[in-house]
Amino acid sequence: MKYGYFDDPNREYVITRPDTPLPWINYLGCQAYFGIISNTAGGYSFYRDARLRRLTRYRYNNAPFDFGGRYIYLRDDASGEFWSPSWQPTRRNLQNYVCRHGMGYTVISSEYGGIEASTRYLVPLDENLEIWQLTVTNRRQRAADLSVFSSIEFCLWDAQDDATNFQRNFSIGEVEIENGVIYHKTEYRERRDHYSFFACSEKITGFDTQRDSFLGPYRGWDNPLAVEQGRSGNSVAHGWAPIGSHQVKLSLQPAESRQVVFVLGYHENSRERKFDPPNSQVLNKKGAKFALARYLVPANADAAFEKLRSHWNELLGICQVETPDVHTNRMVNIWNAYQCMATFNMSRSASFYESGIGRGLGFRDSNQDLLGFVHMVPGRARERILDLAATQLPSGGAYHQYQPLTKRGNNDVGSGFNDDPHWLIVGVAAYLKETGDWSILDETVPYDNQAGTETPLHEHLQRSFRYTLDHLGPHGLPLIGRADWNDCLNLNCFSDSPGQSFQTTTNKDGKVAESVFIAALFVLAGRELAEIAEQRGLQAEASSYLSEVKKMETTISRHGWDGEWFLRAFDDFGRKIGSKENAEGRIFIETQGFCTLAGIGLDDGSARAALDSTRKMLATQHGIILQQPAYSKYYLELGEISSYPPGYKENAGIFCHNNPWVMIGETRVGNGDAAYDYYTRINPSAREQISEVHRCEPYVYAQMIAGRDAPTHGEA
Ligand code: GLC
Ligand code: GLC
């Protein structure tokens, strides 16, 4: 069953009914100002960092989970009837509902009682603001007197604190209202130099900035008192919950159309120019006024939209393929690249599955993301590489995550995910191949952001490689540390108390448990590094890498081969994981995929055998599962992987991320058809027809699809 269709020429997914199985979202913004928007206008906005600089509020674990957003209400002032043209929050029976998610913009249109409304949401390039461009058209035979109400709920900046610290927060909310523009300035009186503003292009007849006044006591967003009564309360927020809402009256003749533009933006002042006049507590609003003078004008909003479109046409035009398969074309030419850009910008830190308060950007993840977008924005890839390298530790190890606002390593998670360092090599290699910009290797970069520790980037890569050689286990395989690619295979954790972190609780000395996956990654990264050295005329360095790589390959075939497939790891007792000797977790996808992708076992037939075993034991119609048999109970010595119910997440779920490793492996043994077959199984476009099963967006690769052991097999 489908809930919409692909419009390939326009590079849009068109949703034709609002009640999709899950909120189907899009991302607004691609530089510093970002927003998440669902097909019913739910979602939130932030500047750079979803946790530390949140503009609008998100209420966690809500039902539905996109609730709270950029909601507009229309009211027929003759009858008193009101509705939301994006369906939520009033959920009236709309006609002709359509949501178009495009490249960096979303348009939601519908008709109700003869009034057509269409809102285009976008973030202009190079601006820290979002535009909602509403067009209202009267399709009735008679004139219509309408009220338009906008609404957003401000977040008091630090999203984590905003969601928890009510004893303070209910007292600190502050706004200013000037010429109909609502300025949110909580904490501006003290250490913040930033504010947000929410404005409307039309003359307003009223506004609200205090939530309770707008909604009325004991009411929700589906039924605000101000909208019901057709009259804003002109409330000024002092504490409690500052919101932004404007009321605009429109009188439309039959067939008449009017545009109302709303702008929500962010601005930072310098400390010296915070207040205007200087010795007052009044916000210096110049920055906002400058931006508003431009973007509240419909023609300029149109121009921003056109500019955004050509930006994306250019970016996507860099790599286009033409194959006989529509699903492949569509994903490779449009949505794949688009998703890579979203993950580059947000690296899984903000979505409806990552709350935006839980984590920064992953070191491994961000380096991997590079591979998918480096050809589109090499300049930003360069910057990202240098930022990531600056969080590397002197040992060559890396912080697992970093905060985009501060560009510092995240101490909560720390380091010790022993695959991390190699992804830097893989990322830099991709950058070099794409750009030929060898100068990046001479760029000096500190370790752990400590001034005085700078070395050329090249040395960072050397230390990455060295890190593994300094951390080898009893079989000569790399020690796994807290985890490798599989964050949930925690072999040194042995966690027995609820609430402990599986990744950071470490009870073992970490000198025994080894990862065959890291060994394969070492082989791949080592070859890249050797090639880099060779290109720079460092012959001796190159050969030393290659001899270490050779040694590792021998170790893998001696200790990492189980007869019909590659082992996954050795646990803290030195016992095999991912072996025919195991009752559960006998075979894992990661090593079959990554060893064959890295070219290990191509000569002696083990690559072919590993891929055949994968097909036999792990392949399903919905993709290749992570391991089999699923763990039926919790294993103290394996960690989080066995904490999930069978078939979900790392316990035998289908990860869209590692499936392609097997596809690449198949191409390396010359079996392109098998690669294509596997690709089709997880290609979201090819799964569009089963949207009621898949549930997640048909234009997005999900992190995970439920595996064969799950009662909801195939659900993403
Ligand atoms: C998540 C993490 C990624 C990890 C994967 C498997 O996607 O972001 O780093 O490799 O899960 O555990
Ligand atoms: C990955 C996994 C998730 C795990 C997390 C821990 O995102 O998919 O299950 O909890 O890593 O870092």
Side-chain angles (χ1 to χ4, degrees), residues 348 359 364-365 400 485-488 650 655 657 703:
R348 300 153 226 202
R359 57 181 287 179
R364 170 200 303 139
D365 297 346
H400 194 47
W485 173 87
N486 190 330
D487 278 330
C488 300
E650 278 84 344
F655 272 67
H657 186 192
Q703 181 207 43

Side-chain angles (χ1 to χ4, degrees), residues 562-599:
D562 198 50
E564 288 172 78
W565 57 81
F566 291 100
L567 283 178
R568 178 64 176 85
F570 287 93
D571 70 13
D572 183 58
F573 306 101
R575 296 180 311 211
K576 294 173 183 170
I577 295 176
S579 157
K580 56 181 177 301
E581 293 170 18
N582 298 117
E584 303 191 324
R586 292 158 69 94
I587 176 171
F588 280 70
I589 188 175
E590 294 102 310
T591 38
Q592 318 321 320
F594 224 86
C595 288
T596 55
L597 166 163

Side-chain angles (χ1 to χ4, degrees), residues 31-50:
Q31 291 155 319
Y33 184 103
F34 297 107
I36 294 175
I37 184 163
S38 74
N39 56 305
T40 62
Y44 57 85
S45 300
F46 60 95
Y47 173 73
R48 281 192 197 277
D49 189 309

Side-chain angles (χ1 to χ4, degrees), residues 561 564-566 587-594 596 606-620 623-628 658-659 661-663 666 678 681 708:
W561 180 248
E564 288 172 78
W565 57 81
F566 291 100
I587 176 171
F588 280 70
I589 188 175
E590 294 102 310
T591 38
Q592 318 321 320
F594 224 86
T596 55
S606 54
R608 184 63 277 166
L611 291 166
D612 289 344
S613 301
T614 302
R615 177 166 292 268
K616 210 162 75 206
M617 299 170 73
L618 297 177
T620 77
I624 310 167
I625 34 195
L626 202 137
Q627 100 275 16
Q628 278 291 288
N658 57 25
N659 273 236
W661 303 346
V662 176
M663 296 169 208
E666 288 285 4
Y678 282 141
R681 299 183 198 200
R708 186 161 58 202

Side-chain angles (χ1 to χ4, degrees), residues 32-98:
Y33 184 103
F34 297 107
I36 294 175
I37 184 163
S38 74
N39 56 305
T40 62
Y44 57 85
S45 300
F46 60 95
Y47 173 73
R48 281 192 197 277
D49 189 309
R51 170 166 171 184
L52 300 175
R53 239 6 101 74
R54 189 80 68 90
L55 267 80
T56 61
R57 181 167 282 160
Y58 175 59
R59 204 158 276 100
Y60 303 87
N61 226 338
N62 219 328
F65 57 65
D66 65 331
F67 201 76
R70 303 168 183 84
Y71 297 138
I72 290 172
Y73 302 84
L74 294 181
R75 181 179 189 274
D76 185 333
D77 284 338
S79 67
E81 225 191 326
F82 63 91
W83 69 100
S84 314
S86 62
W87 194 54
Q88 284 279 39
T90 61
R91 293 193 303 285
R92 301 275 190 274
N93 239 330
L94 302 174
Q95 283 93 53
N96 306 328
Y97 163 91
V98 168

Side-chain angles (χ1 to χ4, degrees), residues 41-172:
Y44 57 85
S45 300
F46 60 95
Y47 173 73
R48 281 192 197 277
D49 189 309
R51 170 166 171 184
L52 300 175
R53 239 6 101 74
R54 189 80 68 90
L55 267 80
T56 61
R57 181 167 282 160
Y58 175 59
R59 204 158 276 100
Y60 303 87
N61 226 338
N62 219 328
F65 57 65
D66 65 331
F67 201 76
R70 303 168 183 84
Y71 297 138
I72 290 172
Y73 302 84
L74 294 181
R75 181 179 189 274
D76 185 333
D77 284 338
S79 67
E81 225 191 326
F82 63 91
W83 69 100
S84 314
S86 62
W87 194 54
Q88 284 279 39
T90 61
R91 293 193 303 285
R92 301 275 190 274
N93 239 330
L94 302 174
Q95 283 93 53
N96 306 328
Y97 163 91
V98 168
C99 168
R100 290 181 168 266
H101 282 320
M103 304 287 108
Y105 67 89
T106 286
V107 184
I108 303 177
S109 318
S110 64
E111 193 177 318
Y112 187 81
I115 303 297
E116 203 179 275
S118 175
T119 315
R120 185 167 69 196
Y121 300 91
L122 77 125
V123 174
L125 290 171
D126 305 317
E127 299 288 359
N128 295 324
L129 55 84
E130 63 186 68
I131 301 175
W132 318 354
Q133 209 173 347
L134 168 71
T135 310
V136 187
T137 309
N138 182 5
R139 298 272 174 231
R140 296 176 182 167
Q141 305 298 331
R142 56 185 194 286
D145 287 323
L146 306 170
S147 277
V148 181
F149 292 86
S150 63
S151 72
I152 50 152
E153 194 171 355
F154 292 111
C155 177
L156 310 189
W157 304 116
D158 179 336
Q160 164 101 359
D161 187 75
D162 178 73
T164 46
N165 192 9
F166 307 119
Q167 62 79 26
R168 168 177 163 87
N169 293 342
F170 283 165
S171 297
I172 64 173

